[in-house]
Amino acid sequence: MGNLKKFKGICWGILLVTLWFAHLAYLLSRPFDPASPWTYLGILIQMHLYTGLFITSHDSIHGVVSVEYPVVNNAIGRFCTILFAFNNYTVLRKKHHEHHAHVNTAGDPDVHQGNFFVWWFKFMWQYVTWQQVLAMAITYNILKLWIPMWNLILFWELPAILSTLQLFIFGTYLPHRGEHTPGNKTQSRSQSRNHVWAFISCYFFGYHYEHHDQPYLPWWKLAAAKDQAENFTK
């Protein structure tokens, strides 16, 4: 059993990638029906799976998808960032480590206190590149030869955009905005303990204090860390 545990991160990564591919293939093969509520539910599910791809690449950046096999760890992380609108894993890794090292200071590439939309724009500007936009445009025009335009826009492109907003709100804006309690070295806060909502909202990354305090924990262990922190303060 102990030997199997070291493959848990790899299994989670493979599962999320498989679900992303399978659900996307299903949505792209279905006729687009704007009157069906299942259309919009499908968009939300695909958004959540996109977020799972990013969270997997994030865990890979921290080296916890596979601690024992760094090559596999980085390969899974890099693959997930490519699936997530052709993001650059090397850039993400560099800037995310800067975020942890200089959280909520001038050296933090992710935190820009102030107006929500200005902050989101600055956040996105850090990561979107012309190479990424070009790759998306080329892929879109190739896929359009076989897949209807609206299916591509609504089920491939829109969920990725919504996922960036989801990640920003629950993984950056809410945890880091405003003033933090004196002595809080993580410069972050956590949402109230509700594991169902924490998973739905952002794969437990609303428990953000726990992540910054223990960045070696993969996403599925943050709920237990939240429980431990709550019990300690009682």
Side-chain angles (χ1 to χ4, degrees):
M1 184 64 70
N3 289 333
L4 292 177
K5 284 184 178 180
K6 65 182 180 181
F7 296 108
K8 191 170 183 179
I10 297 174
C11 291
W12 273 116
I14 292 173
L15 176 62
L16 286 168
V17 168
T18 302
L19 290 174
W20 182 88
F21 268 118
H23 191 251
L24 179 61
Y26 170 76
L27 292 175
L28 294 179
S29 67
R30 303 291 297 174
F32 169 57
D33 182 4
S36 172
W38 298 110
T39 296
Y40 305 99
L41 179 61
I43 292 172
L44 292 176
I45 292 173
Q46 194 63 22
M47 174 193 75
H48 191 65
L49 292 172
Y50 261 111
T51 300
L53 292 183
F54 192 91
I55 294 299
T56 301
S57 65
H58 165 272
D59 276 3
S60 175
I61 286 168
H62 284 286
V64 297
V65 169
S66 178
V67 177
E68 292 82 5
Y69 305 104
V71 173
V72 176
N73 175 83
N74 291 327
I76 290 175
R78 197 173 298 275
F79 186 54
C80 286
T81 56
I82 291 172
L83 293 180
F84 197 114
F86 296 99
N87 274 282
N88 188 312
Y89 179 74
T90 302
V91 171
L92 285 174
R93 180 170 55 188
K94 177 179 180 295
K95 289 187 178 293
H96 190 67
H97 284 308
E98 289 175 358
H99 167 62
H100 274 265
H102 309 288
V103 61
N104 201 15
T105 68
D108 187 344
D110 292 349
V111 177
H112 308 278
Q113 297 290 353
N115 180 273
F116 173 88
F117 295 102
V118 173
W119 187 344
W120 187 29
F121 175 80
K122 290 182 177 179
F123 177 82
M124 293 297 296
W125 188 257
Q126 296 286 332
Y127 300 103
V128 177
T129 65
W130 68 265
Q131 295 96 329
Q132 177 186 2
V133 174
L134 179 62
M136 286 291 289
I138 292 172
T139 305
Y140 168 79
N141 281 283
I142 292 173
L143 292 176
K144 198 171 64 170
L145 297 173
W146 301 281
I147 301 170
M149 178 187 72
W150 279 111
N151 286 52
L152 283 172
I153 293 173
L154 292 176
F155 302 132
W156 179 55
E157 294 180 334
L158 180 61
I161 295 170
L162 293 175
S163 178
T164 63
L165 183 60
Q166 179 184 10
L167 286 158
F168 172 71
I169 291 173
F170 295 102
T172 300
Y173 180 72
L174 292 179
H176 292 296
R177 67 172 177 170
E179 297 293 327
H180 299 274
T181 56
N184 182 351
K185 63 179 181 179
T186 71
Q187 288 292 292
S188 59
R189 64 178 64 84
S190 287
Q191 65 187 70
S192 299
R193 181 168 58 172
N194 183 323
H195 295 339
V196 174
W197 172 241
F199 172 73
I200 293 172
S201 61
C202 200
Y203 291 77
F204 303 115
F205 267 83
Y207 297 154
H208 212 70
Y209 175 89
E210 287 72 22
H211 167 58
H212 272 265
D213 187 53
Q214 302 174 79
Y216 49 83
L217 293 179
W219 65 266
W220 66 88
K221 289 187 177 181
L222 290 174
K226 179 67 172 178
D227 288 339
Q228 186 176 20
E230 294 266 331
N231 292 331
F232 181 76
T233 58
K234 286 182 179 179

